[in-house]
Structures are given as C-alpha cells and as structure tokens.
Amino acid sequence: MSCFSDFPMPEDFPNFLHNSKLLEYFRIFARKFDLLKYIQFQTTVLSVKKHLDFSSSGQWEVVTERNNKKQSAVFDAVMVCSGHHILPHIPLESFPGIERFKGQYLHSRQYKHPEGFEGKHILVIGLGNSASDIAVELSKKAAQVFISTRHGSWVMSRISEDGYPWDMVFHSRFRSMLRNVLPQTIRKWIMEQQMDRWFNHENYGLEPQNKYLMKEPVLNDDLPSRILYGTIKVKPRVKELTETSAIFEDGTVEEEIDVIVFATGYTFSFPFLEDSLVKVEDKMVSLYKYMFPPHLEKSTLACIGLIQPLGSIFPTVELQARWATRVFKGLCTLPSGSTMMADIIKRNEKRIDLFGKSLSQTLQTNYVDYLDELALEIGAKPDLLSLLLKDPKLAVKLYFGPCNSYQYRLIGPGQWKGARSAILTQKQRILKPLKTRAPKASSDFPISFLLKILGLLAIVVAFFFSFNGSNPSA
C-alpha cells in the first residue's frame, strides 16, 4: 500500500517494513530510474527568493551551501519537500517543575534503541505511534514504563480481517463512500464498535476523550499486552514534576522517575522562504489543497508532503508531485486566488468537523478522497462506470478492494501498462512473504466432513422414525 504507483515492492519484502527495508526500496527505486545524478546530498538550502523578473518568468533564485561554499542558481520552479516532521516540539512550559527534575529528558526523535535504559523507571509523554512504539520497546528492558496521555487514543492492530494488513481492508472506495454518506451519529457509533472490537479501550485507560473524532489511531499490536503484563501503566496528564517524581492531574504520584521521553510531536517552519510565501501560524499554513500558495503571480512553488493523510504518505506525495509538475509546465491551471482562498477556508472547516481543533490535527485529511481529488486534477482518476462495462472484474476490484497507488496509472498521463496486473495480483504479493512454510496437504479423511455426514444421517433417521411414529399401521 506504500509503494510508488509504477514500482511494486520486491515480492520478498514484508508488508510492514523496517526502516532499513524502506531505505533499501528507495535505493532500488533511485537506481531503477537513474535518479541519483539529480540529487545533491549534504547540501543546505539557505534561501529561495523570487527572481527579479518573477512576475513574467516565474523563476526562483536558490542559494545553497555545501562544504562551506555558497552557490546561487536560478530554477523555473521549486517544490518544498521537507514535510512537517522538522523541528522537535518539547513544550517545557507545560510541565511545571521540569527545571528541578534531576533525571534525563529527551525528545522521541533522539531515541534510537533501548540499550542504556535497563532497569530504569521511564515516563513517556504522549500517545501517538512514536510514543507507543518507544514505550513498548522500553518496557522489555526498563523496570517500569508509564505513558502519560491527555486525551487517550484508539489503538488498532496492524492485522485486520482474515489476517490482512489493516490499511488494505480500511482504505477502499466502498468503505470511504459509507463513511461519507452515513449520518454522523451512525458513522461515529460504527467507528466506536470497530475500535472496541479488539479490546475495550475504557478498561485499559486508553479511551479517547472525544472518541467520535476521526483522529489518526495508534497502530500497535503489543501495547495492550504490555499493559496486561503491567510493564506499561497508562497515566493522565502530568500536573507537576519534582526532582525525582511525577505528579498527575488525578493526584497520583509516581516516584523515582529516571527518564522522561517527550513524544510530543513536531513543529515546522521554512526559514529559507519569506513569510509572504508560506506563513506558518499555529501549525497551519494557507495552501490550496495543502500544496499551492494562493496569491502568487505565477504558480511555480508547491509544498509536497505538508499533510497528514489517514493512510500512507508515499502515494499521496507522489500524486502531489505529479500534479505540481503539470501545473509548472502549464498543462494544468489553478483557479483564481479568491477561489483558492475560499477552498482553503471551506476545507479547514470540514477538517475541524472531522478531526477536531487540536494542533496535532491541523494537517489531517481523508485518504481516499484526497487521492481521488489529486488524480482528478491530472486526469488519472479511474472511471469506474466506464470500467464496469469494459472490464467488470477490474471495476469491482477498484471499488471494493484496497485503494492502492497502481489505480492512478490506469489512465491519463504517466499511464503504466503493468497497473492492471499489479492491482489484480496485489493479494498474492501480500501473502507471498508470509508463506515461508508450505503445510503438507492432509491425506486423512476430513473429520469435519465426516461429522457433517453423520449429522445429516442422524437427521434423516430421526425424520424417518418420526414419520413412521405419526402414521401407525392399521
């Protein structure tokens, strides 16, 4: 589900990749398309400014630094691809007493491995995916791990129906349609039932404060079991810190805290850009469809990856890049500045309704809807009605099956001949790395089948005797 649209993962790769495997995939991709010659490694971008004739040329003057040497170059267009995990956010002002704390504290970005934390009492602040992963890993080495959460969170297993990856089941056009058309109360009730199917979140102290918002869930198969083991304890918000302890808002105190890990997210900024281009306020930027500044004379600047979809980021940013390059070339046009601003305001209102006002949700968006929206801009969104007449097997797969990146290579610019096959064979590729052992087919007569036959015979015999008993001979 995370691969690029014309380059499936190697068949032996697992479904959920370790970071080393993901890096390997990127390297294979770069070699395949001969991309390394276009990348300047270990180069810092110092500034991106409009060229003197920007109003007519749309060009940008870019100043970079490498090996203490500055260099200036002019480019026809710029894509800012630094994303939103840029600056670690540690809100120390929200933790009275932190200046007295004698232990160690660090941001989750600084955490690399559990070695060195053996036998310690560790407090992890936050309940996102990073916080949960770190807490679970540390709980196998530390004396005790505590997770402090203000609002709670839904926790999902990566394993979904019939053992398939969760996103392969969750992200389909059919399910996305249901989430869009069902009344809000019904949709929220269904979501709560689905989330509590694995375990009751209230019993584990994890139930979200506002459980009806469609916030990004935590994906962690081990967290509930570590809580069951008692190696992780869930705590409310930290009210105050002392030299060696943490006092929580419910009045409880945990003594002898050795380490605090702040899994409190990130902030982002673009110091190489002027504020008039992309201004960040309260972790929000005014960009048309999360990409384009609305008031540029020439649409030759785009932000890529400044978004948090409820799904994989890689198919998302790929479609963003495909649209951006067509806008740069003049093959796609953007609406007027006022129209773009109206869309930004409307989109933000919808985001608040779905995901809430939390600063951590300012970039959140629905996955399938946004992919289709981008694909429509470049003419790559599949026409399901047309396909239903021409290729019903494929049409059914597109609507009820997983919304994968290959779907956006079926038609339009950048069409890939292997897209149809990649869609129809995705299930086999998902199962292949799992089948490292082939169980021998049993030669014994199936017991279940025998029981069914015996049961059927018993019913026939019972019916026969019942019929004879109700019709005695003269």
Side-chain angles (χ1 to χ4, degrees):
M1 293 293 285
S2 292
C3 63
F4 294 118
S5 60
D6 57 353
F7 198 72
M9 297 272 182
E11 289 188 343
D12 61 330
F13 272 37
N15 288 285
F16 290 102
L17 303 182
H18 186 268
N19 54 30
S20 60
K21 279 290 185 184
L22 184 60
L23 178 60
E24 183 181 348
Y25 173 71
F26 287 155
R27 285 173 171 163
I28 295 170
F29 183 84
R31 287 196 298 269
K32 169 70 176 179
F33 295 99
D34 197 22
L35 300 178
L36 292 177
K37 63 184 180 183
Y38 300 108
I39 303 173
Q40 294 185 29
F41 293 101
Q42 298 180 338
T43 301
T44 302
V45 176
L46 299 178
S47 66
V48 176
K49 296 181 178 180
K50 294 179 180 179
H51 197 257
L52 292 176
D53 62 351
F54 179 83
S55 58
S56 58
S57 70
Q59 292 182 323
W60 300 86
E61 183 178 355
V62 180
V63 179
T64 59
E65 184 176 26
R66 185 181 184 187
N67 298 327
N68 295 320
K69 293 182 179 179
K70 294 182 180 180
Q71 184 178 357
S72 178
V74 175
F75 292 89
D76 295 320
V78 171
M79 286 193 282
V80 180
C81 306
S82 49
H84 56 92
H85 290 157
I86 300 175
L87 303 172
H89 176 57
I90 306 182
L92 296 180
E93 67 281 358
S94 300
F95 297 88
I98 186 66
E99 70 283 353
R100 301 196 306 269
F101 181 64
K102 290 186 175 181
Q104 174 192 4
Y105 67 84
L106 65 152
H107 189 269
S108 57
R109 186 173 186 172
Q110 298 170 268
Y111 174 85
K112 302 301 178 184
H113 49 72
E115 282 69 33
F117 296 94
E118 295 87 347
K120 295 189 176 183
H121 292 74
I122 302 171
L123 171 61
V124 179
I125 296 177
L127 188 57
N129 283 293
S130 295
S132 302
D133 288 344
I134 291 171
V136 165
E137 189 170 71
L138 285 174
S139 70
K140 299 171 185 178
K141 297 279 188 178
Q144 183 64 59
V145 175
F146 304 95
I147 285 186
S148 168
T149 173
R150 291 179 300 168
H151 304 302
S153 178
W154 294 121
V155 179
M156 290 176 59
S157 171
R158 291 180 176 87
I159 304 169
S160 189
E161 298 171 10
D162 295 325
Y164 287 101
W166 78 274
D167 51 350
M168 189 177 176
V169 175
F170 186 83
H171 293 307
S172 71
R173 283 194 170 81
F174 173 69
R175 294 197 178 212
S176 180
M177 178 275 296
L178 286 180
R179 290 190 287 269
N180 288 336
V181 302
L182 286 175
Q184 191 175 41
T185 52
I186 295 177
R187 186 181 71 232
K188 290 176 177 178
W189 179 82
I190 292 174
M191 183 178 70
E192 182 180 357
Q193 299 306 306
Q194 288 177 334
M195 293 298 180
D196 269 338
R197 188 180 300 169
W198 186 25
F199 69 94
N200 188 307
H201 285 65
E202 183 180 1
N203 293 342
Y204 284 67
L206 294 169
E207 187 175 55
Q209 192 175 73
N210 193 336
K211 55 188 177 182
Y212 299 123
L213 292 176
M214 289 185 63
K215 291 186 177 182
E216 182 182 18
V218 170
L219 289 168
N220 198 299
D221 297 288
D222 299 318
L223 181 60
S225 64
R226 301 312 295 179
I227 295 173
L228 273 177
Y229 280 123
T231 55
I232 294 178
K233 294 182 179 180
V234 182
K235 305 292 294 184
R237 182 181 67 86
V238 173
K239 181 181 178 182
E240 186 181 355
L241 295 167
T242 70
E243 292 180 348
T244 59
S245 63
I247 304 170
F248 299 92
E249 65 179 356
D250 62 356
T252 58
V253 180
E254 296 296 343
E255 306 282 356
E256 299 179 354
I257 301 296
D258 300 301
V259 181
I260 300 175
V261 180
F262 286 92
T264 45
Y266 295 81
T267 58
F268 54 88
S269 65
F270 307 100
F272 48 86
L273 293 175
E274 298 174 355
D275 280 348
S276 59
L277 296 175
V278 181
K279 188 174 183 179
V280 181
E281 291 182 314
D282 294 329
K283 293 185 70 174
M284 290 185 64
V285 288
S286 292
L287 296 173
Y288 179 58
K289 299 192 179 182
Y290 299 100
M291 290 178 60
F292 294 101
H295 296 307
L296 285 178
E297 307 100 298
K298 297 288 185 178
S299 299
T300 55
L301 175 71
C303 291
I304 306 297
L306 197 57
I307 190 171
Q308 193 170 340
L310 286 174
S312 177
I313 189 66
F314 303 122
T316 307
V317 297
E318 182 190 0
L319 275 172
Q320 285 185 328
R322 290 172 67 186
W323 183 28
T325 53
R326 293 185 67 78
V327 170
F328 296 160
K329 292 177 181 178
L331 300 174
C332 293
T333 57
L334 300 181
S336 66
S338 59
T339 300
M340 286 192 280
M341 277 306 303
D343 179 86
I344 291 169
I345 294 170
K346 182 179 179 181
R347 191 178 297 267
N348 188 51
E349 291 172 349
K350 183 178 179 181
R351 177 193 61 78
I352 291 173
D353 180 56
L354 288 174
F355 305 109
K357 296 182 179 180
S358 171
L359 292 180
S360 63
Q361 307 299 319
T362 54
L363 301 174
Q364 202 84 61
T365 187
N366 278 330
Y367 185 60
V368 178
D369 294 348
Y370 186 65
L371 292 182
D372 277 350
E373 191 176 352
L374 294 174
L376 189 63
E377 294 287 351
I378 62 175
K381 181 183 176 183
D383 184 346
L384 295 182
L385 290 178
S386 175
L387 273 175
L388 192 60
L389 299 175
K390 299 177 183 177
D391 193 342
K393 181 180 178 181
L394 180 60
V396 169
K397 197 74 171 179
L398 292 185
Y399 192 66
F400 293 101
C403 185
N404 48 47
S405 58
Y406 318 123
Q407 300 186 11
Y408 302 107
R409 291 287 182 178
L410 288 168
I411 61 171
Q415 186 176 351
W416 176 45
K417 292 182 180 179
R420 183 182 186 276
S421 175
I423 293 167
L424 296 178
T425 60
Q426 183 181 17
K427 182 177 178 180
Q428 292 93 300
R429 291 197 308 280
I430 283 174
L431 295 178
K432 185 168 183 178
L434 305 178
K435 295 187 174 182
T436 53
R437 169 184 171 267
K440 293 181 180 179
S442 176
S443 58
D444 298 332
F445 193 76
I447 298 297
S448 60
F449 182 72
L450 179 61
L451 291 174
K452 289 178 182 178
I453 295 297
L454 291 174
L456 183 60
L457 286 173
I459 292 172
V460 171
V461 170
F463 178 78
F464 176 77
F465 282 110
S466 175
F467 180 80
N468 284 342
S470 60
N471 294 279
S473 58

